[in-house]
């Protein structure tokens, strides 16, 4: 199973970016999907998560600015980021709890990360 993230980049404060992460491989089903971020010198933190049923959870720092969504048919999770701030600068990493075809067991999988830089 692989997670491929895209959509990062450089944007000015107040701007928007949309991140996408697609899961591929021997996938039976996907439970939770989410986005984490890690800034230099800081611990990785959860940004937003979404269950297979569509329930969402956001970090307090991004509520009202970020929206997470998913396309279950395409095994894709999206993160729409609006009103970006310099403190949102980090590597954004997608995550999925995947039930694999061969083992029928759930495993956590991580994408490679995509850089988001917000200039002031």
């Amino acid at each position: 199973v692989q997670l491929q993230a895209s959509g990062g980049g450089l944007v000015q404060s107040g701007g928007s970016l949309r991140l996408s992460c697609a899961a591929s491989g021997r996938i039976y089903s996907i439970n939770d999907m989410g986005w984490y971020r890690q800034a230099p010198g800081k611990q990785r933190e959860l940004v937003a998560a979404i269950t297979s049923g569509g329930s969402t959870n956001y970090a307090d720092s991004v509520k009202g600015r970020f929206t997470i969504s998913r396309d279950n048919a395409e095994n894709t999770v999206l993160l729409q980021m609006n009103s970006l701030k310099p403190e949102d600068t980090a590597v954004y990493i997608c995550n999925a709890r995947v039930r694999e075809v061969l083992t029928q067991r759930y495993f956590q999988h991580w994408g490679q990360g995509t850089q988001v830089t917000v200039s002031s």
Side-chain angles (χ1 to χ4, degrees):
V1 175
Q2 291 185 331
L3 300 183
Q4 182 66 45
S6 61
L10 173 64
V11 66
Q12 289 188 334
S13 182
S16 298
L17 283 174
R18 188 184 192 214
L19 304 183
S20 176
C21 178
S24 62
R26 293 182 174 268
I27 297 170
Y28 183 82
S29 64
I30 301 178
N31 196 345
D32 296 347
M33 302 184 82
W35 289 92
Y36 289 72
R37 68 186 180 187
Q38 188 162 18
K42 295 188 176 181
Q43 289 189 334
R44 183 175 295 185
E45 63 173 353
L46 174 67
V47 177
I50 184 167
T51 68
S52 56
S55 296
T56 58
N57 180 42
Y58 295 93
D60 287 342
S61 59
V62 307
K63 283 181 181 176
R65 300 189 297 121
F66 292 10
T67 302
I68 190 170
S69 60
R70 64 188 283 175
D71 183 333
N72 290 330
E74 298 292 331
N75 292 331
T76 299
V77 61
L78 305 173
L79 185 68
Q80 178 66 44
M81 305 185 294
N82 299 327
S83 302
L84 282 160
K85 305 175 180 180
E87 52 263 43
D88 294 317
T89 295
V91 175
Y92 284 70
I93 307 156
C94 61
N95 170 270
R97 189 164 180 262
V98 177
R99 189 177 185 183
E100 299 186 357
V101 170
L102 290 179
T103 64
Q104 291 293 299
R105 293 173 60 189
Y106 283 98
F107 291 93
Q108 293 281 356
H109 290 276
W110 297 88
Q112 83 282 13
T114 184
Q115 177 70 46
V116 171
T117 303
V118 184
S119 63
S120 58

